[in-house]
């Protein structure tokens, strides 16, 4: 997601505005992510029974496990959302500056694409993959949150992370990191490029605005946010299956990807790679809309704070 065209944006503004935007996104859209994960983890129904769709999966979770089961794994998401967004915005601005034209200071669409690509890889390796593993393990638990006797293996995000490291080793937190990096890099490359170009076009059509209204940021974010999931759904499905599994001794990452891909095609068909695409688009696109709108508003406000913007405070006569 691309910030407004600023010559300089301080790391403090990137951190606070991005973190706030990410928190709002997680709180509003996490149930859709839980439904997506359950759909991706569901194997082909026995006896040719009809697959359960988006609404069927949601209804099943709520009826069997309680409404708040839709928020399983939220703790892991919130724990990682602030550093993820800080890294995303800060690294994007850094790479964007490196790729800018030295004379004009502007970055071409191609430069924006590669800056987004690099930012996606950076956030995937540093934050996204470990929190994804924990989140998916929590979301995959089918215990009933309404029944105290049905105790889950993982009590919360921190307990889940400790249990995984103790039982399977710290390397498991980085299982699927290459696929995660591919997913995040393609997402952010498409997202940054689409949003930047759409915003520039919208601004050109409406020269009366110094800054586009919030609802337009949301619409542009919705459009750009939908493009990433459509382009890399198979990667996300394979990654989810990998991260849910227990560690298998002696099996390389390439062998694991090949085995999961082969099983998906042979047992469930090619379209299984697109399991959960509806809730994923419904999760990511509105999430980007929320993130863009909140980021733009919060960062605009923070730029008026001298301590954060680096600009000297203006003293009035009363001061």
């Amino acid at each position: 997601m691309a910030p407004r065209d600023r010559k300089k944006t301080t790391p403090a503004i990137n951190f606070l505005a991005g973190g706030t935007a990410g928190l709002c996104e997680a709180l509003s859209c996490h149930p859709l992510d839980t439904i997506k994960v359950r759909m991706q983890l569901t194997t082909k129904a026995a006896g040719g029974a009809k697959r359960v769709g988006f609404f069927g999966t949601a209804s099943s979770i709520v009826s069997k496990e309680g409404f708040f089961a839709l928020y399983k794994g939220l703790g892991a998401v919130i724990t990682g959302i602030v550093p993820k967004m800080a890294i995303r915005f800060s690294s994007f601005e850094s790479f964007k500056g490196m790729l800018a034209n030295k004379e004009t200071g502007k970055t071409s669409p191609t430069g924006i694409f590669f800056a987004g690509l690099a930012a996606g890889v950076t956030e995937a390796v540093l934050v996204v993959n470990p929190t994804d593993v924990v989140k998916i393990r929590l979301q995959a638990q089918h215990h009933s949150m309404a029944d105290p006797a049905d105790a889950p293996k993982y009590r919360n995000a921190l307990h889940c992370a400790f249990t995984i490291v103790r039982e399977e080793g710290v390397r498991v937190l980085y299982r699927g990191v290459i696929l995660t990096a591919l997913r995040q890099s393609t997402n952010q490359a498409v997202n940054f490029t689409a949003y930047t170009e759409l915003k520039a076009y919208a601004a050109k059509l409406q020269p009366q605005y110094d800054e586009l209204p919030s609802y337009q940021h949301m619409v542009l974010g919705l459009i750009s946010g939908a493009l990433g999931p459509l382009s890399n759904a198979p990667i996300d499905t394979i990654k989810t299956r990998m991260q849910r599994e227990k560690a298998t001794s002696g099996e390389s990452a390439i062998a694991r990807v090949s085995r999961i891909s082969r099983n998906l095609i042979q047992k469930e068909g090619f379209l299984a790679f697109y399991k959960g695409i509806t809730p994923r688009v419904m999760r990511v696109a509105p999430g980007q809309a929320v993130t863009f709108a909140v980021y733009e508003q919060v960062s605009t406000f923070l730029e008026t704070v001298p301590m954060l913007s680096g600009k000297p405070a203006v003293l009035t006569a009363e001061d």
Side-chain angles (χ1 to χ4, degrees):
M1 57 212 69
R4 289 176 292 116
D5 294 330
R6 303 179 182 93
K7 292 184 179 180
K8 291 183 179 180
T9 306
T10 66
I13 289 177
N14 287 334
F15 185 89
L16 292 173
T20 303
L23 180 61
C24 292
E25 176 197 356
L27 291 173
S28 60
C29 300
H30 187 74
L32 296 171
D33 189 65
T34 299
I35 297 168
K36 178 212 75 170
V37 168
R38 288 292 182 86
M39 290 179 71
Q40 288 178 328
L41 295 177
T42 301
T43 56
K44 190 172 183 179
K50 186 178 180 180
R51 286 194 180 101
V52 178
F54 171 73
F55 292 107
T57 302
S59 177
S60 176
I61 293 172
V62 173
S63 63
K64 294 179 181 178
E65 305 170 52
F67 174 78
F68 289 104
L70 293 172
Y71 286 90
K72 284 180 177 179
L74 180 61
V77 174
I78 292 178
T79 300
I81 202 75
V82 171
K84 180 179 82 170
M85 290 300 182
I87 290 168
R88 177 180 298 179
F89 282 99
S90 299
S91 60
F92 172 74
E93 285 296 330
S94 177
F95 291 125
K96 179 183 172 184
M98 293 177 189
L99 296 171
N101 184 293
K102 302 304 179 184
E103 296 180 359
T104 64
K106 294 183 178 181
T107 309
S108 68
T110 301
I112 294 290
F113 181 88
F114 282 105
L117 204 71
V121 172
T122 304
E123 71 177 22
V125 173
L126 296 182
V127 179
V128 176
N129 203 82
T131 57
D132 256 11
V133 172
V134 172
K135 172 182 71 70
I136 288 168
R137 290 291 182 91
L138 288 167
Q139 289 174 323
Q141 295 189 122
H142 288 267
H143 71 286
S144 173
M145 298 182 74
D147 182 3
D150 189 9
K153 178 177 181 178
Y154 307 119
R155 295 192 297 271
N156 51 51
L158 188 60
H159 178 256
C160 181
F162 275 126
T163 303
I164 291 172
V165 172
R166 185 180 68 249
E167 295 181 354
E168 304 173 59
V170 70
R171 291 181 62 183
V172 174
L173 293 176
Y174 284 90
R175 178 178 293 160
V177 67
I178 294 176
L179 291 175
T180 301
L182 281 172
R183 183 194 66 180
Q184 294 302 114
S185 61
T186 51
N187 268 345
Q188 299 317 317
V190 171
N191 207 13
F192 275 114
T193 305
Y195 183 75
T196 302
E197 291 301 300
L198 288 171
K199 184 179 175 184
Y201 182 70
K204 185 178 180 180
L205 293 178
Q206 304 169 95
Q208 70 272 25
Y209 291 127
D210 291 331
E211 179 57 47
L212 297 177
S214 292
Y215 79 89
Q216 293 192 23
H217 289 143
M218 293 190 73
V219 171
L220 298 181
L222 192 73
I223 296 170
S224 62
L227 298 177
L230 293 172
S231 66
N232 58 26
I235 295 173
D236 190 58
T237 299
I238 296 169
K239 177 197 72 68
T240 299
R241 293 284 179 106
M242 283 183 67
Q243 292 177 330
R244 193 249 181 118
E245 290 182 343
K246 296 286 186 181
T248 302
S249 178
E251 186 178 35
S252 67
I254 295 177
R256 191 176 297 118
V257 170
S258 298
R259 172 176 56 80
I260 291 173
S261 301
R262 188 168 56 251
N263 286 341
L264 277 167
I265 293 174
Q266 292 176 351
K267 297 180 180 180
E268 304 175 52
F270 179 77
L271 291 179
F273 285 111
Y274 289 86
K275 276 187 173 182
I277 186 63
T278 299
R280 188 173 175 224
V281 171
M282 290 178 66
R283 161 70 176 86
V284 174
Q288 297 307 304
V290 170
T291 302
F292 279 127
V294 173
Y295 181 87
E296 298 280 8
Q297 291 299 311
V298 174
S299 58
T300 297
F301 169 74
L302 293 178
E303 286 178 345
T304 66
V305 181
M307 184 186 302
L308 297 174
S309 65
K311 299 175 183 177
V314 178
L315 300 179
T316 63
E318 288 79 2
D319 294 328

